[in-house]
Amino acid sequence: MAEAHSAVAFSFSVTPEGLDVKLNHEALKAVWRSGFRSAKKRVGRMQNQFKNGTYPATPTSWLFIATIVLALKIGGFDPSFGLIESQDKYVAAVFTNQSPAIIHYISCVLYATYLWFAKIIIIKWSLRVLLRYHKWMYEARGPMSLKTKIWIMTVKILGGRKPLLMSYQFSLPKLFVPSVKETVNKYLRSVKPLMEDEKYQRMEKLSKEFQEGAGKKFNRYLVLKSWWATNYVSDWWEDYVYLSGRSPIMVNSNFYAIDAVLLHPSKVQVARASNIIHAMLQYRRDLDKESLMPLMLNKTVPLCSAQYERQFQTTRIPGIEKDTIVHYKDSQHIAVYHKGRYFKVYIHFRGRLLKPCEIEHSLQKILDDDVEPAVGEKHLAALTAGDRVPWAKARQEYFSKGKNKASLDAIEKAAFVVALDDEPQDFDEHDPSKLDKFARSMLHGKGYDRWFDKSFTLVVASNGRIGFNAEHSWADAPIMAHLWEFSLSEEFQMGADAPIMGHMWEVCTADDRDYGYTDDGHTIGTPEICPNPIKLEWEFPKPCLQVIENCLEVATQLLNDVDLHLLYHNQYGKGFMKSVKMSPDAYIQLSLQLAYYRTAKKFDLTYESSMTRLFREGRTETVRSCTVESCQFAKAMDDPTVTNKERIKFMKLAAEEHQQGYRNAMSGHGIDRHLFCLYVVSKYLGEDSPFLTEVLSSPWRLSTSQTPHQQTNKLDLVKHPEHISAGGGFGPVADDGYGVSYIIAGEDVIFFHVSCKNSCPTTGARKFAEQIQKALADVKNMFEAKDS
């Protein structure tokens, strides 16, 4: 294409008169601006590293200490007790031409700097010690204990003001290693309601042998690793759970999210895409500057922010034995897929980020371009959807040089991928199948129209509906939920009198954010520049085409086996749950247990994802939601001899047990990550453990997760409950089980994403969703008729 030729900075030719050099000044300017931008970002990163390293101290506090030291010295008092005088001779050796007075002042300033750094170290270590205190989570609702009040006040005093995103990283405690006895005892209690007496007694015997034998040795290795590593779990979790799997990551690992379905701001595909792309790039800029506030529990306790570092410019590279994650420091383009073709679209021009209206014009050029895809290009992304080994071999063989390498680099080094679909998606309260279709499109699409290896792919339907598909190894769902909430909230700048549907849109022009839509649905503003998209070029030999088609066949079989249903539950929400003094999460989890018991006629291991980001580089831990108490409650609900008053008592006990399990998981006293790491140690040592083998081979037939929201200060669900996304979901974990993700959307709505496999004769997504709805209705009726 012409724009590719004009990108050459210079050319030359040899003539009889000599060497004729022709310079392209615009290209040279672009090279200069790119280098300047990279240098500017490097300086910014260095500044942030210094600020984070010295936080919560500030240059002002250093100046204050230096002033006090100098004032005391001038007043005749030596705050250093002789240290300043003792270092005068060393300072004089460096500043040989200075007077004794100047040398003495320099020594005073150096001493003040020592004090400043000592203050920083003391505060950081004090915060690290204080943040190991987790008993505040275990206190019953009501008046706080005096100890917790003092703790909160101390953390707030030492925690400083206006932190950057990474300011607390050095103050977060390390994840500790629990005792084997503690973990094994909790495990045994969690499986007791799931096993017959004979099998349980066998597990007791195996656990006792493990505790008295290899368990102690394995744990010593973990303790040693916890002293050396930042987090004794996270690197192994990433390597062995995510990157070492050789099966497809589509459906099995990647997750998705969908639009705020109660709103439809524009039906113009490229306009909606442009505003969301711009919002995401604004978020990226805030991320680079670390101007995003770190998340704080109860506005006091910081969460680890390490996972944000790889959100953009990140891709998963396939390997023969294990994949790797590659993160690039910067990218000035996005990759766009439309009707089987890939394009490189620049998002920066002449040192600034393109405005939404300028991005729209670039994307419109792609829609208007009728060039046919290269042979094999349409289904190319099926390589990322199939088994990992064929993709790894094909990448080495066919993408290591020439056009294919350059084009693959353009995708992998892009900030993110955008898929402009040629089909519409929508929400209709009276036609649930539309929402199911929407969710399936985000989870797997057609198996070849999402780049599943990329950190995330933004998907924009032909009618402007949006969603994303995210790779899981680099981070967990709350990180993407944060970006999604930010992007939607930036776009939804509504007038106060706007109705839920068909509203007018307010223009947001803070900084360079020009969001909004014209009456015909296009972005606002007048484009000043409009870089041409560059179509990526490919050249696939027949063996490569065959690998692509083989991967597509695997992906098609996998996605056809997915049964996915999205339940819009608007009968009631967390408002009622709180009115009966129940934790909404515990309420929903117990309702899921009831629904599963009624569907499967038994209880099974249940996985609920919890976070361990109270610790440095923490990721997730498992809450085992199926407990002795939850089983008693579920059985009581279908026992006509049990009164509602007794059922409520069972539910309250089960809810408290669930909350206790959640607190344990968050505070480092969980079960499964510790057992997983003990298992990894056993494999490294070549010592098989029958106990650990049996524990880790047990399937999670009910895997659940709550999608977090209100991670920014932009989402006001009281004024605008319709602004919340309908959440997202994931594929089933077990062949004969269910995956259930839910988001509590304001006070009165809950979205459930239910998945299972069509090939399993005993499961059905819609069937299970109906049981969830019935369980929620029965629990509500129980509370309303509690006297019976």
Side-chain angles (χ1 to χ4, degrees):
M1 296 178 72
E3 58 269 20
H5 293 292
S6 66
V8 179
F10 71 92
S11 62
F12 68 90
S13 60
V14 179
T15 67
E17 288 77 22
L19 189 67
D20 182 21
V21 179
K22 298 178 181 179
L23 297 176
N24 185 317
H25 295 286
E26 283 300 316
L28 287 175
K29 286 180 182 178
V31 171
W32 162 255
R33 282 190 291 265
S34 178
F36 180 76
R37 181 171 180 269
S38 297
K40 187 177 177 182
K41 291 191 74 171
R42 283 196 294 271
V43 171
R45 281 194 291 266
M46 290 172 62
Q47 289 177 338
N48 286 339
Q49 287 171 358
F50 177 77
K51 289 178 182 178
N52 291 332
T54 58
Y55 187 85
T58 62
T60 305
S61 66
W62 172 84
L63 184 62
F64 176 77
I65 292 173
T67 303
I68 294 296
V69 170
L70 286 169
L72 290 173
K73 283 295 292 181
I74 292 171
F77 177 76
D78 183 6
S80 71
F81 301 101
L83 181 61
I84 293 174
E85 281 75 9
S86 67
Q87 71 179 7
D88 279 351
K89 59 181 179 181
Y90 301 106
V91 176
V94 178
F95 300 96
T96 54
N97 297 325
Q98 299 297 330
S99 66
I102 297 296
I103 288 171
H104 197 60
Y105 287 146
I106 293 173
S107 295
C108 289
V109 171
L110 285 174
Y111 177 72
T113 305
Y114 301 154
L115 289 180
W116 188 61
F117 277 112
K119 169 194 169 185
I120 291 168
I121 293 169
I122 290 170
I123 291 176
K124 283 183 178 293
W125 277 98
S126 299
L127 270 175
R128 183 175 289 192
V129 171
L130 286 167
L131 293 175
R132 289 174 184 163
Y133 175 79
H134 297 128
K135 290 186 179 178
W136 58 273
M137 285 192 290
Y138 293 85
E139 292 184 356
R141 290 188 177 184
M144 276 188 237
S145 67
L146 178 62
K147 183 178 180 181
T148 297
K149 287 180 180 178
I150 294 172
W151 174 79
I152 289 175
M153 182 177 64
T154 308
V155 170
K156 285 186 175 181
I157 291 171
L158 295 180
R161 295 184 301 167
K162 297 181 180 179
L164 297 177
L165 180 64
M166 301 291 177
S167 290
Y168 291 112
Q169 289 301 101
F170 298 108
S171 300
L172 291 172
K174 285 187 174 185
L175 182 63
F176 58 88
V177 180
S179 69
V180 175
K181 181 179 179 182
E182 176 190 346
T183 300
V184 169
N185 287 343
K186 287 178 181 174
Y187 167 78
L188 289 174
R189 192 176 193 282
S190 73
V191 297
K192 191 170 185 179
L194 309 177
M195 293 182 176
E196 300 291 338
D197 290 343
E198 184 178 341
K199 187 175 180 181
Y200 181 75
Q201 289 170 6
R202 177 176 169 275
M203 282 303 297
E204 278 188 316
K205 182 181 177 183
L206 289 175
S207 68
K208 187 176 180 181
E209 291 172 355
F210 177 71
Q211 288 183 69
E212 295 174 351
K216 293 179 181 179
K217 180 172 73 171
F218 295 167
N219 217 43
R220 283 196 292 269
Y221 280 94
L222 289 185
V223 171
L224 183 63
K225 187 190 177 191
S226 72
W227 293 345
W228 179 256
T230 307
N231 189 295
Y232 83 92
V233 175
S234 295
D235 59 335
W236 284 351
W237 188 254
E238 182 177 296
D239 281 352
Y240 298 120
V241 172
Y242 291 117
L243 299 179
S244 294
R246 303 294 79 202
S247 59
I249 60 174
M250 183 193 76
V251 175
N252 295 324
S253 178
N254 285 29
F255 58 94
Y256 72 90
I258 63 174
D259 206 350
V261 295
L262 300 178
L263 296 171
H264 200 162
S266 174
K267 294 185 178 181
V268 179
Q269 183 181 29
V270 289
R272 187 85 197 279
S274 301
N275 269 332
I276 294 298
I277 289 169
H278 190 274
M280 287 180 163
L281 294 172
Q282 180 62 49
Y283 177 93
R284 184 182 72 156
R285 191 172 73 175
D286 293 347
L287 202 60
D288 288 340
K289 292 180 177 179
E290 296 188 28
S291 57
L292 290 174
M293 284 288 291
L295 296 184
M296 312 280 281
L297 293 184
N298 296 336
K299 299 181 180 180
T300 304
V301 185
L303 299 182
C304 178
S305 301
Q307 294 181 54
Y308 289 93
E309 293 178 341
R310 300 184 293 183
Q311 191 154 22
F312 295 89
Q313 299 94 237
T314 297
T315 192
R316 177 171 175 158
I317 304 297
I320 302 299
E321 295 182 356
K322 188 182 79 169
D323 293 354
T324 54
I325 300 174
V326 175
H327 171 69
Y328 302 94
K329 291 295 184 183
D330 192 19
S331 177
Q332 298 190 43
H333 73 275
I334 57 175
V336 178
Y337 177 86
H338 177 250
K339 288 189 175 180
R341 305 158 304 162
Y342 286 92
F343 295 85
K344 181 179 181 178
V345 178
Y346 285 100
I347 50 180
H348 281 269
F349 190 79
R350 292 180 180 174
R352 71 166 176 86
L353 179 64
L354 297 184
K355 294 186 289 188
C357 59
E358 294 166 344
I359 297 173
E360 180 183 352
H361 273 67
S362 289
L363 297 181
Q364 187 62 48
K365 290 180 180 181
I366 293 175
L367 266 61
D368 295 340
D369 191 339
D370 58 1
V371 65
E372 290 295 318
V375 178
E377 182 180 10
K378 181 177 181 180
H379 296 159
L380 176 62
L383 291 170
T384 69
D387 292 317
R388 305 305 292 171
V389 174
W391 171 209
K393 291 179 178 178
R395 193 177 190 278
Q396 291 175 358
E397 181 72 21
Y398 308 114
F399 295 87
S400 58
K401 60 184 178 181
K403 292 180 180 179
N404 292 351
K405 184 181 188 303
S407 295
L408 183 62
D409 280 350
I411 295 173
E412 293 182 339
K413 294 180 180 179
F416 53 91
V417 173
V418 178
L420 299 176
D421 283 2
D422 52 6
E423 294 181 359
Q425 305 295 339
D426 219 335
F427 165 70
D428 185 343
E429 188 176 346
H430 305 293
D431 185 0
S433 65
K434 289 186 177 181
L435 211 48
D436 296 351
K437 178 174 171 284
F438 195 169
R440 287 180 64 93
S441 176
M442 298 304 116
L443 176 62
H444 52 64
K446 298 174 182 176
Y448 59 81
D449 51 357
R450 316 279 182 258
W451 199 269
F452 294 101
D453 283 354
K454 201 67 181 157
S455 55
F456 68 92
T457 298
L458 172 65
V459 182
V460 187
S462 61
N463 62 342
R465 285 295 189 189
I466 60 172
F468 71 77
N469 180 284
E471 202 276 318
H472 207 332
S473 63
W474 64 272
D476 300 309
I479 307 302
M480 276 305 300
H482 193 169
L483 168 63
W484 200 234
E485 180 179 315
F486 178 97
S487 303
L488 290 175
S489 299
E490 284 285 279
E491 183 191 29
F492 294 154
Q493 300 293 326
M494 288 176 51
D497 299 325
I500 289 178
M501 303 293 284
H503 48 270
M504 297 176 297
W505 294 89
E506 206 174 65
V507 177
C508 172
T509 55
D511 301 324
D512 60 353
R513 309 174 195 188
D514 298 311
Y515 304 121
Y517 297 98
T518 60
D519 292 339
D520 57 355
H522 289 279
T523 53
I524 59 153
T526 303
E528 299 173 19
I529 50 177
C530 190
N532 289 321
I534 301 172
K535 186 184 180 303
L536 301 184
E537 297 182 0
W538 311 90
E539 197 171 71
F540 303 123
K542 287 185 178 180
C544 183
L545 294 174
Q546 187 59 53
V547 175
I548 293 172
E549 292 307 310
N550 290 344
C551 288
L552 178 59
E553 185 178 345
V554 171
T556 303
Q557 290 176 354
L558 181 59
L559 67 87
N560 284 339
D561 197 25
V562 173
D563 184 11
L564 181 61
H565 179 63
L566 210 164
L567 170 63
Y568 172 56
H569 182 273
N570 62 351
Q571 285 71 39
Y572 69 97
K574 73 174 182 180
F576 174 80
M577 298 172 191
K578 291 189 294 186
S579 72
V580 295
K581 299 180 180 180
M582 288 278 292
S583 154
D585 185 69
Y587 188 108
I588 292 171
Q589 284 290 328
L590 291 171
S591 298
L592 290 175
Q593 287 298 312
L594 176 57
Y596 186 82
Y597 177 63
R598 287 171 170 174
T599 304
K601 310 302 180 187
K602 62 175 182 174
F603 298 104
D604 271 308
L605 273 178
T606 303
Y607 183 112
E608 182 187 5
S609 180
S610 170
M611 61 90 176
T612 54
R613 289 169 61 198
L614 293 171
F615 302 94
R616 194 171 175 186
E617 294 187 12
R619 290 198 60 163
T620 61
E621 176 58 278
T622 305
V623 181
R624 292 179 166 237
S625 300
C626 183
T627 62
V628 173
E629 292 78 8
S630 69
C631 294
Q632 288 176 337
F633 160 70
K635 289 176 180 178
M637 285 297 292
D638 289 339
D639 186 347
T641 65
V642 180
T643 65
N644 282 330
K645 189 175 182 179
E646 290 172 324
R647 290 170 181 155
I648 291 172
K649 180 182 177 182
F650 284 134
M651 189 173 189
K652 297 275 187 179
L653 289 172
E656 180 53 39
E657 181 64 21
H658 178 268
Q659 288 294 92
Q660 187 75 0
Y662 211 102
R663 297 180 193 113
N664 288 340
M666 287 181 62
S667 60
H669 293 280
I671 299 169
D672 291 277
R673 299 302 176 268
H674 186 204
L675 292 175
F676 162 76
C677 288
L678 290 170
Y679 180 77
V680 173
V681 171
S682 75
K683 290 302 178 183
Y684 273 123
L685 297 177
E687 299 182 20
D688 289 333
S689 166
F691 171 72
L692 291 175
T693 301
E694 187 145 344
V695 168
L696 272 78
S697 63
S698 302
W700 300 97
R701 290 195 172 89
L702 180 56
S703 184
T704 70
S705 178
Q706 180 183 173
T707 302
H709 57 79
Q710 289 187 296
Q711 298 187 85
T712 70
N713 58 5
K714 299 174 179 291
L715 187 61
D716 188 345
L717 293 180
V718 176
K719 289 184 179 179
H720 300 294
E722 72 280 1
H723 282 192
I724 195 169
S725 159
F730 50 88
V733 175
D735 291 340
D736 56 349
Y738 294 99
V740 181
S741 179
Y742 53 94
I743 185 169
I744 302 170
E747 298 294 306
D748 302 307
V749 173
I750 309 168
F751 287 96
F752 290 91
H753 299 247
V754 182
S755 66
C756 61
K757 292 194 173 183
N758 285 315
S759 56
C760 179
T762 60
T763 59
R766 187 177 293 273
K767 175 180 71 173
F768 190 50
E770 290 171 354
Q771 286 294 343
I772 292 172
Q773 196 155 17
K774 183 177 186 304
L776 288 167
D778 289 348
V779 172
K780 183 173 186 284
N781 292 336
M782 174 189 72
F783 278 104
E784 290 176 338
K786 60 185 176 182
D787 295 330
S788 61

